Amino acid sequence: MLPRILVFAGSNRTGAYSGKVANVALRTLIELGAEVTHISLVDYPLPLMDQDLEKEKGIPDNAMKLGRLFSAHDGILIASPEYNSSIPPLLKNTIDWVSRISRDGDRPLKPYSGKLVALCSSSEGNFGGARGLYHLRSVMMNVGTQIITEQCSVVHAHEAFAEDGSFTDERTLKSMQRVCQSLIDHTRYAVSRR
């Protein structure tokens, strides 16, 4: 059985580097033998996380759709930009809303429970957004996911991509391959233990 991996970027900006990183991850995961679903958070707009709003109207429909998607996959790969050395608000808001889900109608639903997650980042700077991944790793652990050790940070992202969307740097490509292979290996093992 092929491991099912969900891939998305933490930015909706047109031409976002994180979107390009997610595209490379998508191709790499498929080449390595995973079944991949690629989504864009722009298709799942959400209000700011607000417990008063949740009490009044419940979990937003788009958060429920994302929760079902998260739950239906063995692993998740997130390609995140770095905002002021931390998590972009779009991504944090998405994570927070999905973390509020405990039921889907009359069935229990825990979208993050036991989920394996790989993290990638990108920026124009020398750190490639890696500082933001410290915070993202902490948040994702807190909601109940298991984060693989390997991560891929794309430095100088403004010059990291060829015209076909691939990485121009061999070292960055190998880093992405290690991340994707590790995520596949971990999800295969987890599925075999169920």
Side-chain angles (χ1 to χ4, degrees):
M1 181 174 162
L2 296 178
R4 294 162 300 170
I5 310 294
L6 181 68
V7 174
F8 63 90
S11 173
N12 285 342
R13 180 177 64 82
T14 301
Y17 302 129
S18 58
K20 294 179 179 184
V21 172
N23 289 338
V24 174
L26 168 71
R27 290 195 297 269
T28 306
L29 285 162
I30 291 170
E31 288 168 4
L32 292 171
E35 179 183 322
V36 187
T37 304
H38 185 203
I39 63 169
S40 173
L41 295 182
V42 76
D43 297 322
Y44 302 89
L46 291 166
L48 286 175
M49 174 59 210
D50 179 338
Q51 287 183 302
D52 289 337
L53 179 64
E54 180 187 1
K55 185 176 180 181
E56 179 186 342
K57 297 187 176 180
I59 305 289
D61 288 344
N62 281 332
M64 290 302 304
K65 289 176 185 175
L66 286 167
R68 292 179 195 115
L69 269 172
F70 288 13
S71 185
H73 289 79
D74 304 310
I76 300 170
L77 186 145
I78 303 172
S80 180
E82 175 186 283
Y83 283 29
N84 296 314
S85 299
S86 191
I87 307 167
L90 169 69
L91 181 55
K92 181 65 165 62
N93 193 55
T94 300
I95 294 166
D96 289 346
W97 267 120
V98 173
S99 76
R100 304 297 294 177
I101 299 170
S102 61
R103 301 197 69 75
D104 187 2
D106 59 353
R107 297 178 302 120
L109 178 64
K110 300 199 178 294
Y112 293 122
S113 180
K115 202 64 57 189
L116 286 149
V117 175
L119 303 177
C120 299
S121 63
S122 54
S123 81
E124 292 187 2
N126 292 328
F127 297 109
R131 292 173 299 186
L133 291 188
Y134 289 112
H135 294 179
L136 181 54
R137 184 175 291 269
S138 176
V139 170
M140 294 307 296
M141 287 172 61
N142 190 68
V143 298
T145 68
Q146 299 174 41
I147 316 299
I148 66 167
T149 303
E150 296 82 1
Q151 62 186 39
C152 178
S153 295
V154 181
V155 303
H156 309 298
H158 57 293
E159 55 191 23
F161 300 93
E163 283 188 22
D164 66 356
S166 63
F167 289 136
T168 56
D169 178 60
E170 187 69 21
R171 184 187 304 181
T172 308
L173 175 60
K174 288 188 182 305
S175 176
M176 178 62 81
Q177 289 170 338
R178 281 193 299 273
V179 169
C180 292
Q181 187 64 65
S182 180
L183 182 59
I184 288 170
D185 291 344
H186 280 82
T187 54
R188 278 188 175 138
Y189 178 75
V191 168
S192 74
R193 303 278 293 174
R194 288 181 191 154

